[in-house]
Amino acid sequence: MSTSESDSVRQRSSQEDTNDNHPLPPSKEEGRGSIGSIKSSSDHLHSNKDELQMNRRVGLFSGVALVVGTMIGSGIFVSPGNLLGNAGSPGLCLVLWAVCGLYSLLGAISYCEIGTLIPKSGGEYIYFLEAFGHTHKFFGPILAFIFAWTVVFLLKPSSLAILSLSFAKYLSSPILTAINFCPDTYLSYVINRLFAALCIGIITFINCYSVTAATRVQNIFTVAKLTAIAIIIGGGLYYLGLGYTENLEIGFEGSATSFGQIATAFYGGLWAYDGWNNLNFITEELQNPYRNLPLAIIIALPLTTVCYVLINVSYLTVLTQQEIISSNAVAVDWGIEVLGAASFLIPLGVVMSVFGTANGSMFTAGRISHVAGREGHAPDFLSYIHIEKKTPVAPILLNSLLGILMIIPGDIATLIDFFGFTSSIFYCAAMVALIVMRFTKKNEHRPIKVPIIIPVIVMVVSAYLVIGPIAAAPQVQYFYALLFILAGLIFYVPFVYYKTQVPGMKSFTIVCQKALQIAPTTVH
C-alpha cells in the first residue's frame, strides 16, 4: 500500500465524526487509481452524487436475528454434554448455563456503551484503534492490528470451516441413508468436503449479492432454528408434566467441587454464547444504532439464555446424565425417543441452524477486513465495496477462500479449541478500552453509560479465562496459538508502521476493481 493511499484512507476515516451524515468527495488519486479505469463505475458514482457507501439496511428484527442466529449454532443440539460432564450434576449444569448467559449479557451491555460512543463498524478493532491508537506511534495501533490479524486469518475462517463441515455431516447423512448408500471412509471424507464447499459457496454468493438478501436469509433461518428449539422445549415440558423428573431430581448431587473443573465447565458454556458481539461489527449498517444496538442486545441475550436453559431441562427429562454426556448428537437421540417417525425434524433443524450461523459469521467477517483496509491496516482493495450492490465483495471472498482451505484437513476443531482463549484476551482488552475512554473521552456524549463495575467484572472474568486454562493444564498448543498471534508483527512493522509498498499491489488492486466492480467508499 502506498503512503499517499494509506494517508487518504485514514484521512477519510478520521473525518467521520464531523461529517457522518455528509458525503465526502472522492480524492483525485481515488479517481485515477480506482474508478477512472472503469467507465461504468464512474458513471454510476456521478449519477449518485459521488456517494458510494454501505447503507443502513439492518433493522431491529434483523439485528436480533443476527445476534441470536450467530450464537445458536450446532453446539446446543450436538454436544451440550461437555458442560454437563464437567459440572458433574444437572443442578450445577443449569446454573452454569444461566451464569454464562448473564456474563455474556454484561459483556454485551458494556459493548453497547462503546458501540454508541463510537458508532463505527469493526467491533473491537475500531475500539482498540480509538482507545489506544493515538497513545504511541508504534505501539498504539498494535492491538487493533493483532485483533484484525487473528480474527480475519484464523477465527472467522476456521469458524466458517467447522460450521460448514457440521452442515455437511447433518445434510449428507440422512441423504445417504435414504438412498441406502454406505461410503467408505475416504469417500465419506470427500462427500463431506464437497457439501461443506457447497455451503460456503452459497453463503458467499448471498452475501456478495445483497445485504438485504443476507439479512433475509438470516431472519428466516433464525426463525427456523428457534422453531426447532421450541419443538424440543415443548416436548420436554410435556414429558415433565407426565412426571419424568427423576434425572432433574438428582439436583446438585455429584457436583464438581474443584475450582478448575467448574471453570472448565464455565469456559465450555461461554463458547455456546460466542457471537454476542457480532452486531458491533456492522454498526454503520444498523438503522438507528443508538436505539437498535442496545435494544437488540437486551432482546437477544435473555432469549438465548432462556432457550439454552430450557432445552437442557428438556434433554434431562428424557435422557439420563450419562446418555447426554456420551452422545455425539444429543438432540437427535432426544428426537428418536420423543418424536418417533417425526425425528427427522431434528437433523433438519440442526442443518438450518448451522447454515444460519455460518451466514451470520460470513456477514460480520467481511466487515472486519473492510474496516481494517479503510484504516490502512490491510490492502486498500479490502476496503472497497461493489459499486451497485454496496457489499464488501473482496473481504467476503477472502473469508470464504480461507474457510475452504481450512475444511481440507481431517480435523481442525481440536486445534482451534486452543485458540479459543484468544477471544477472552480481546474481550478483556475491550473492557480496558472502555475504562480508558471513560477518561480520555470523558466529555464525549454517551447515549448509554453502564455502571463501571460491569466492565470491571467482565474484564476480571475474561482475564481469568485466559490464564485459567493455561495454568490448570499447560500444553504446547497454547504456545503455538500465542506464536500465531505475535506472528502478525512480522507484517505490522514493514507494511503498517513503515508503510512499505508491496511490489505490484497497485496493479493487483486495479485488476480486482475491474474484475469485482469495486471502488473506494466516499463516506464511512
Side-chain angles (χ1 to χ4, degrees):
M1 177 189 306
S2 67
T3 303
S4 59
E5 287 174 335
S6 300
D7 292 340
S8 175
V9 171
R10 275 188 276 270
Q11 182 181 10
R12 292 200 307 272
S13 180
S14 66
Q15 290 174 331
E16 176 179 345
D17 294 333
T18 56
N19 298 282
D20 188 55
N21 297 317
H22 304 284
L24 303 179
S27 66
K28 292 181 179 179
E29 181 182 358
E30 289 174 340
R32 287 195 305 270
S34 302
I35 57 176
S37 60
I38 311 176
K39 187 178 185 300
S40 59
S41 305
S42 179
D43 294 339
H44 175 83
L45 292 179
H46 286 299
S47 66
N48 200 29
K49 299 182 179 179
D50 289 331
E51 292 186 15
L52 183 62
Q53 57 182 310
M54 297 172 72
N55 299 325
R56 297 189 183 274
R57 299 177 183 174
V58 182
L60 176 60
F61 184 84
S62 296
V64 173
L66 180 64
V67 177
V68 173
T70 50
M71 280 195 295
I72 303 177
S74 62
I76 193 61
F77 297 103
V78 179
S79 56
N82 292 335
L83 191 149
L84 178 58
N86 286 309
S89 71
L92 183 57
C93 172
L94 296 176
V95 168
L96 286 175
W97 277 110
V99 172
C100 288
L102 177 61
Y103 166 79
S104 300
L105 179 61
L106 293 178
I109 291 174
S110 300
Y111 270 52
C112 286
E113 176 177 331
I114 316 178
T116 51
L117 173 65
I118 307 171
K120 301 178 182 179
S121 295
E124 290 94 330
Y125 169 80
I126 203 69
Y127 305 152
F128 296 154
L129 205 57
E130 289 281 339
F132 311 118
H134 303 292
T135 58
H136 191 276
K137 185 178 180 182
F138 179 82
F139 294 105
I142 280 183
L143 184 58
F145 178 83
I146 289 297
F147 173 81
W149 160 261
T150 305
V151 173
V152 171
F153 286 98
L154 178 72
L155 295 183
K156 284 294 185 181
S158 65
S159 174
L160 179 64
I162 293 172
L163 288 167
S164 63
L165 287 172
S166 296
F167 171 88
K169 174 183 176 182
Y170 282 92
L171 181 63
S172 63
S173 181
I175 293 176
L176 296 177
T177 302
I179 62 176
N180 196 26
F181 179 68
C182 184
D184 58 29
T185 303
Y186 175 74
L187 187 55
S188 177
Y189 170 91
V190 173
I191 291 173
N192 281 338
R193 266 60 189 178
L194 290 175
F195 273 109
L198 177 64
C199 173
I200 293 176
I202 293 172
I203 292 172
T204 301
F205 173 78
I206 292 170
N207 280 268
C208 288
Y209 180 75
S210 168
V211 171
T212 302
T215 54
R216 284 178 180 172
V217 167
Q218 191 66 28
N219 295 348
I220 292 169
F221 281 86
T222 298
V223 171
K225 74 175 65 182
L226 289 177
T227 301
I229 289 174
I231 292 173
I232 297 175
I233 292 174
L237 294 178
Y238 174 75
Y239 270 71
L240 198 62
L242 294 178
Y244 287 75
T245 60
E246 56 268 22
N247 295 326
L248 293 171
E249 288 173 355
I250 296 173
F252 291 88
E253 183 181 342
S255 295
T257 54
S258 71
F259 192 68
Q261 198 172 3
I262 294 174
T264 302
F266 184 75
Y267 191 77
L270 287 179
W271 263 110
Y273 287 93
D274 191 47
W276 52 260
N277 60 331
N278 273 328
L279 208 55
N280 292 73
F281 291 134
I282 63 160
T283 307
E284 293 171 27
E285 297 171 75
L286 188 63
Q287 297 170 359
N288 193 3
Y290 299 111
R291 170 185 176 271
N292 289 338
L293 177 60
L295 196 54
I297 292 299
I298 292 171
I299 295 172
L301 266 297
L303 174 62
T304 304
T305 303
V306 169
C307 286
Y308 280 172
V309 172
L310 291 182
I311 200 172
N312 276 278
V313 170
S314 181
Y315 291 150
L316 286 164
T317 59
V318 178
L319 304 172
T320 66
Q321 185 173 336
Q322 190 56 43
E323 285 174 336
I324 294 174
I325 294 172
S326 60
S327 175
N328 291 323
V330 178
V332 174
D333 292 343
W334 181 94
I336 293 172
E337 292 286 338
V338 176
L339 301 178
S343 60
F344 71 91
L345 292 173
I346 301 302
L348 179 61
V350 174
V351 167
M352 298 185 75
S353 177
V354 171
F355 187 86
T357 303
N359 179 74
S361 177
M362 177 75 80
F363 187 80
T364 56
R367 275 62 184 172
I368 302 170
S369 47
H370 166 75
V371 176
R374 194 173 72 190
E375 298 294 337
H377 285 186
D380 275 1
F381 71 88
L382 290 176
S383 70
Y384 298 172
I385 64 175
H386 194 276
I387 58 175
E388 294 179 357
K389 303 299 183 181
K390 310 293 179 65
T391 54
V393 176
I396 292 171
L397 292 177
L398 173 64
N399 187 53
S400 63
L401 175 61
L402 293 173
I404 289 174
L405 291 176
M406 288 186 178
I407 68 174
I408 297 174
D411 180 21
I412 63 170
T414 303
L415 177 61
I416 298 307
D417 284 344
F418 291 99
F419 288 88
F421 77 100
T422 60
S423 296
S424 295
I425 293 176
F426 296 128
Y427 291 152
C428 181
M431 296 303 103
V432 174
L434 187 154
I435 296 170
V436 166
M437 287 188 286
R438 284 286 182 94
F439 299 95
T440 58
K441 295 180 180 290
K442 60 183 177 180
N443 296 323
E444 297 284 343
H445 173 60
R446 283 176 168 79
I448 297 174
K449 189 174 183 180
V450 301
I452 194 67
I453 188 63
I454 291 180
V456 169
I457 291 173
V458 177
M459 178 182 68
V460 171
V461 174
S462 299
Y464 174 76
L465 291 174
V466 174
I467 300 170
I470 300 176
Q475 299 184 50
V476 69
Q477 285 88 344
Y478 289 119
F479 173 74
Y480 293 152
L482 290 173
L483 196 63
F484 176 87
I485 293 173
L486 295 177
L489 297 177
I490 297 174
F491 299 92
Y492 174 80
V493 174
F495 302 121
V496 176
Y497 184 70
Y498 288 110
K499 302 179 178 64
T500 302
Q501 185 176 4
V502 178
M505 179 57 72
K506 185 175 181 180
S507 299
F508 179 75
T509 299
I510 294 174
V511 169
C512 288
Q513 287 186 263
K514 290 180 178 180
L516 302 177
Q517 290 291 289
I518 56 177
T521 53
T522 52
V523 180
H524 305 305

